[in-house]
Amino acid sequence: MDEKQIISQMKSQGIDLVCSIPCDKAKGLFFSLPEEFRHIGLTREEDGVGISAGAYLAGARPLVALQSSGLGNMLNAILSLTVTFGIPLPILASWRGGEKESILAQVPFNRSLPRILSAAGIPCTIVSGPDKPDEIGDAITASYRSRQPHVVLVPPECLEESGCPATALPPAPALRTLSICYERKWRIPVMRRYDAIRQIASLVNDEILVSNIGVPSKELFAARDRPENFYMLGSYTQASAIGLGIAVALPKRRVIVLDGDGSLLGSSVLTVIAASAPKNLTIVGLDNGVFGSTGNQPRPGTKTADLALMALGAGFAVSRAVHEPGELAEAIRASAGNGPSFIHTRILPGNADVPNIPIAPSQIRDRLMTALRARK
Ligand SMILES: Cc1ncc(C[n+]2csc(CCOP(=O)(O)OP(=O)(O)O)c2C)c(N)n1
């Protein structure tokens, strides 16, 4: 089969958003995907799980395409987000590590992959021959019907590789002049995370809020529970990816992500967000200098890393640091429709004494989807 047949299977299944990282053994496919679909290029496969989850919640029909080794970078996110919330995720993987594999490093993970997926309870289809592109379509159907992930492994011998199309030569290096006006004046924080979250929760109307793993989600629930909140219950580093997926799928709705400093520093998604440039997305980086939800252990770079500057470096249109509740409110207002914007919110460590969220993941999913469908 060639990439045209694969793409035709994806289209016949209604796929309308593809996140991908390329594989050398399927060059033609990875060149074609951005031309054929709304496309988000990734730098780390895990982010495709969060982006796809957000996009699905917002009514899109996403798929992730990658090299099979990338599944090793996604497993926790697939199980803690996709499986926990009951979200479809078809994953199309160029399967490496087979008999003719020339790169030794591809063998240990990829040869064990079907057993790893089986042990994790993740359904997997191994395409059985070059004349079986319909198995890809069937796997996509199965994923959307069951609201579960489904991996399709495409062995190289099933792919008729067309290589790089002439139209897809790498872009020529361009001259670029960059002028960043940046002044860093960190003051002593006065808010705790709960103060900042209450402030933001009091300002929103029909905005969608995505909250980070652990205590931040519990604090948002305690501050103001509403169907437009998505509480991320696991999946460290995926909050901003989920926000990006929702923002891209629903460009007319405003999305605000309440992310954490540890999570943002552990993620590669800022560059991907800036490249996608959703005007309706604001990332609030709640920077308490610690891994708050695990007991306030200091995170690396407390005195050296600068989140607001990192967002600018990643290509954000707007990035600023705030310390006071009034400044935070003003930054939230000013960033509406002006994104992607980053609000580096410097806060004191400390977790509010709030209860666990008593709503089932499927209920969090369903009420958000209903609210989003009602007001596109
Ligand atoms: C893959 C993975 N690694 C580690 C954890 C444990 N963990 C849960 S929350 C968290 C820290 C989050 O810190 P940050 O993003 O700074 O947010 P804060 O809680 O400080 O607001 C960690 C390390 C996890 N749940 N999953």
Side-chain angles (χ1 to χ4, degrees):
M1 77 185 78
D2 61 16
E3 67 264 15
K4 287 197 185 74
Q5 288 168 294
I6 296 177
I7 285 165
S8 130
Q9 287 292 328
M10 292 164 63
K11 288 198 168 161
S12 71
Q13 293 298 323
I15 294 302
D16 57 11
L17 174 70
V18 176
C19 299
S20 78
I21 296 195
C23 173
D24 175 48
K25 293 284 180 219
K27 287 191 190 73
L29 175 66
F30 286 98
F31 273 115
S32 301
L33 291 174
E35 288 170 11
E36 298 286 342
F37 296 93
R38 186 161 45 152
H39 177 259
I40 296 182
L42 307 171
T43 54
R44 177 87 178 166
E45 290 83 356
E46 194 176 20
D47 293 336
V49 179
I51 295 168
S52 298
Y56 172 74
L57 293 168
R61 216 169 148 87
L63 173 147
V64 174
L66 38 61
Q67 177 180 108
S68 57
S69 40
L71 278 149
N73 299 339
M74 299 166 94
L75 271 181
N76 177 54
I78 294 173
L79 294 172
S80 61
L81 179 61
T82 316
V83 170
T84 299
F85 283 88
I87 290 175
L89 181 61
I91 301 170
L92 180 68
S94 158
W95 191 21
R96 303 298 298 267
E99 290 307 319
K100 293 191 183 144
E101 178 64 60
S102 58
I103 301 178
L104 215 54
Q106 293 283 7
V107 174
F109 177 76
N110 287 307
R111 220 165 263 181
S112 315
L113 186 51
R115 279 173 288 135
I116 293 171
L117 293 172
S118 162
I122 299 173
C124 171
T125 297
I126 299 176
V127 173
S128 60
D131 56 344
K132 300 282 186 192
D134 49 313
E135 291 175 357
I136 296 174
D138 292 346
I140 297 172
T141 308
S143 175
Y144 277 93
R145 278 220 181 113
S146 62
R147 285 182 149 177
Q148 288 295 312
H150 196 120
V151 174
V152 188
L153 297 177
V154 188
E157 45 292 2
C158 290
L159 273 178
E160 196 182 300
E161 234 315 66
S162 62
C164 316
T167 50
L169 288 173
L175 290 175
R176 184 181 176 203
T177 310
L178 190 63
S179 156
I180 293 180
C181 187
Y182 186 76
E183 199 179 79
R184 165 159 128 176
K185 255 194 212 150
W186 282 353
R187 305 195 296 277
I188 304 293
V190 293
M191 293 182 282
R192 290 190 197 277
R193 190 200 307 101
Y194 196 32
D195 302 318
I197 288 179
R198 275 186 301 196
Q199 173 72 288
I200 295 167
S202 73
L203 293 170
V204 292
N205 180 21
D206 68 349
E207 290 88 343
I208 299 141
L209 293 179
V210 179
S211 56
N212 193 22
I213 175 175
V215 183
S217 277
K218 295 200 252 178
E219 290 183 347
L220 176 61
F221 180 83
R224 187 175 164 204
D225 180 41
R226 52 206 270 284
E228 293 86 356
N229 293 354
F230 184 76
Y231 305 110
M232 201 186 70
L233 305 176
S235 337
Y236 179 52
T237 76
Q238 289 302 299
S240 288
I242 296 168
L244 173 61
I246 301 175
V248 166
L250 283 180
K252 291 194 184 133
R253 292 290 297 264
R254 184 166 186 214
V255 183
I256 302 174
V257 179
L258 312 176
D259 213 334
D261 50 336
S263 303
L264 283 162
L265 288 163
S267 161
S268 56
V269 83
L270 287 181
T271 314
V272 177
I273 292 174
S276 301
K279 287 200 178 312
N280 56 334
L281 179 62
T282 299
I283 308 291
V284 179
L286 294 164
D287 180 6
N288 51 14
V290 293
F291 294 108
S293 296
T294 51
N296 297 323
Q297 301 86 351
R299 53 100 178 142
T302 305
K303 295 188 183 143
T304 45
D306 183 335
L307 286 178
L309 190 52
M310 284 171 61
L312 278 181
F316 268 62
V318 180
S319 177
R320 59 189 282 189
V322 301
H323 295 77
E324 321 273 338
E327 281 175 331
L328 173 58
E330 203 276 312
I332 292 281
R333 279 189 207 104
S335 62
N338 194 18
S341 22
F342 188 86
I343 306 176
H344 181 198
T345 307
R346 298 200 59 251
I347 53 175
L348 297 162
N351 298 319
D353 186 15
V354 288
N356 286 333
I357 298 172
I359 323 175
S362 58
Q363 210 182 336
I364 296 172
R365 174 198 67 196
D366 289 345
R367 62 185 208 157
L368 174 63
M369 291 183 79
T370 306
L372 296 186
R373 254 199 314 269
R375 286 212 55 217
K376 280 200 170 178

